[in-house]
Amino acid sequence: MANKKHIGLALKIILPLVGVFLMWYSLNEMSAARRLEMWEAIKGVNPLWVVISLFFATCSHLSRAYRWKFMLEPMGYSPRLWNSFSAVMIAYFANTFILRSGEILRGVVISKSEKIPFEKAFGSIISERIADLAVLLVIMTTAIVLQSTTLIDYFKTAANPLPSIIGLAVLLTIGILGLRILKKSSHPFIIKVRDFGLGILEGVKSILNMKKNAAFIFHTLFIWTMYIAMFWVMKFTVPGLEEAPLGVILAAFVVGAFSMSATNAGMGIYPIAMGAIFSFFGFLYEDAFTFGWIIWGTQTIFNIIVGGICGLFFVLAQRKV
């Protein structure tokens, strides 16, 4: 048990450092003159585009918080919008520092503030992530269609599918064996795990039992429209990217979305990913790299400030209980 705690602590320390290292490495590889040029470009950004982008981001976060109630209502819960919004923003805050910790903390926050069983809240979060993944795949397909052969060739050279196929087969085998053990075992610990899993499953099934399916779909599409909008308007902050067509923007958006999962909130890797994808389509790497820093930096600062404030209010509210 002690070893597991030590491993978990080590991962919590090491994984964020990967992002910090990538930030240092990418900046260190640049010449002093280029770093100064990038800094001057960042300082010269028209704040109007940043404000508009953050407005779209806020709309998406509010919509995500409001959409959540459609998944919890079938289980008999109707969370207040402020508590849902706080949970969402605290999750973004946590993901900035600890990789993939936000979803768990989001479930904890809504569980404590609205007295919703954690496993059911967490199950609904998993369910909404499935819906979000479906939309992201549609966006990816649209980007592929718009950029056709060029984008397809990029994905072919960027990743070898064989390791992914082997890994998927191994995970599938482990999953099947694990389900058999959970179903047949009478061990007290396994029973607790099984009950916890059933609670999560109930949360996941909530997407099938919603009475307001149309509203859920509307908010899901609205959330991702706002995501794309906040990304698209930021191209006007860098003169070299102003003429980027929709197909390139969507391709960069998809690559950026996946890079956010590689490190904590895309730290370090997001600007590199932007530089790579935009330069592939013929834009200057330096312009795209600067763009990556601008959009990642503004969104991260926003999430830290708003998420930190929401976290402070949550802690104060819990002390009063």
Side-chain angles (χ1 to χ4, degrees):
M1 183 64 71
N3 289 334
K4 290 183 179 179
K5 289 183 178 179
H6 291 155
I7 292 173
L9 180 61
L11 289 175
K12 289 179 181 180
I13 296 174
I14 292 173
L15 290 176
L17 290 179
V18 173
V20 174
F21 169 76
L22 288 173
M23 291 175 66
W24 170 83
Y25 178 78
S26 60
L27 291 173
N28 189 60
E29 286 295 296
M30 300 169 63
S31 65
R34 175 56 197 141
R35 284 197 298 270
L36 180 60
E37 182 181 342
M38 185 180 76
W39 177 240
E40 291 299 324
I42 292 174
K43 289 196 298 182
V45 166
N46 186 340
L48 175 63
W49 298 119
V50 176
V51 171
I52 294 174
S53 180
L54 292 179
F55 171 75
F56 288 144
T58 302
C59 289
S60 70
H61 299 330
L62 284 169
S63 182
R64 179 176 294 279
Y66 189 76
R67 182 186 68 170
W68 199 3
K69 77 171 187 175
F70 297 137
M71 309 184 70
L72 294 171
E73 281 178 346
M75 295 182 283
Y77 305 103
S78 183
R80 288 161 289 183
L81 180 60
W82 167 252
N83 287 335
S84 297
F85 178 74
S86 293
V88 169
M89 295 312 303
I90 291 171
Y92 285 122
F93 176 89
N95 279 334
T96 305
F97 301 100
I98 303 176
L99 184 66
R100 295 185 179 89
S101 63
E103 281 69 22
I104 296 175
L105 189 56
R106 180 178 163 189
V108 171
V109 170
I110 202 67
S111 177
K112 289 185 176 295
S113 59
E114 292 287 344
K115 310 304 179 186
I116 300 173
F118 170 78
E119 61 271 18
K120 294 183 180 181
F122 188 63
S124 68
I125 294 170
I126 294 175
S127 188
E128 76 165 34
R129 288 304 185 189
I130 294 172
D132 288 334
L133 179 60
V135 177
L136 182 59
L137 292 175
V138 171
I139 296 172
M140 181 190 298
T141 302
T142 304
I144 291 174
V145 170
L146 292 176
Q147 295 306 123
S148 62
T149 306
T150 305
L151 190 59
I152 294 173
D153 290 343
Y154 172 78
F155 281 111
K156 283 182 178 179
T157 57
N160 180 3
L162 184 58
S164 299
I165 294 173
I166 294 175
L168 183 61
V170 172
L171 289 175
L172 184 62
T173 303
I174 294 174
I176 292 173
L177 293 175
L179 286 175
R180 289 178 64 88
I181 294 173
L182 284 174
K183 185 178 181 180
K184 295 184 176 181
S185 177
S186 59
H187 191 279
F189 176 75
I190 298 297
I191 292 175
K192 288 183 179 180
V193 173
R194 183 164 61 219
D195 291 341
F196 181 78
L198 290 173
I200 291 179
L201 183 61
E202 184 179 352
V204 172
K205 286 182 177 178
S206 64
I207 198 171
L208 303 175
N209 301 323
M210 286 184 299
K211 295 179 180 179
K212 300 177 181 177
N213 290 323
F216 177 85
I217 293 172
F218 169 79
H219 278 279
T220 299
L221 296 177
F222 179 80
I223 289 166
W224 285 91
T225 300
M226 292 296 98
Y227 282 163
I228 294 173
M230 74 181 191
F231 186 90
W232 181 78
V233 298
M234 290 297 277
K235 76 174 186 175
F236 298 109
T237 61
V238 180
L241 300 182
E242 287 180 339
E243 301 301 321
L246 179 62
V248 173
I249 292 297
L250 289 180
F253 175 81
V254 171
V255 171
F258 283 113
S259 73
M260 295 293 284
S261 301
T263 59
N264 40 313
M267 184 178 292
I269 199 171
Y270 193 92
I272 297 174
M274 291 299 99
I277 186 65
F278 274 106
S279 62
F280 179 79
F281 289 111
F283 295 89
L284 289 177
Y285 179 91
E286 291 78 8
D287 289 340
F289 187 74
T290 301
F291 166 82
W293 271 106
I294 293 171
I295 190 169
W296 180 85
T298 53
Q299 293 295 329
T300 299
I301 292 172
F302 176 80
N303 290 337
I304 289 175
I305 292 174
V306 179
I309 293 173
C310 290
L312 178 61
F313 276 109
F314 171 74
V315 171
L316 294 175
Q318 289 301 304
R319 286 184 177 180
K320 293 180 181 179
V321 176

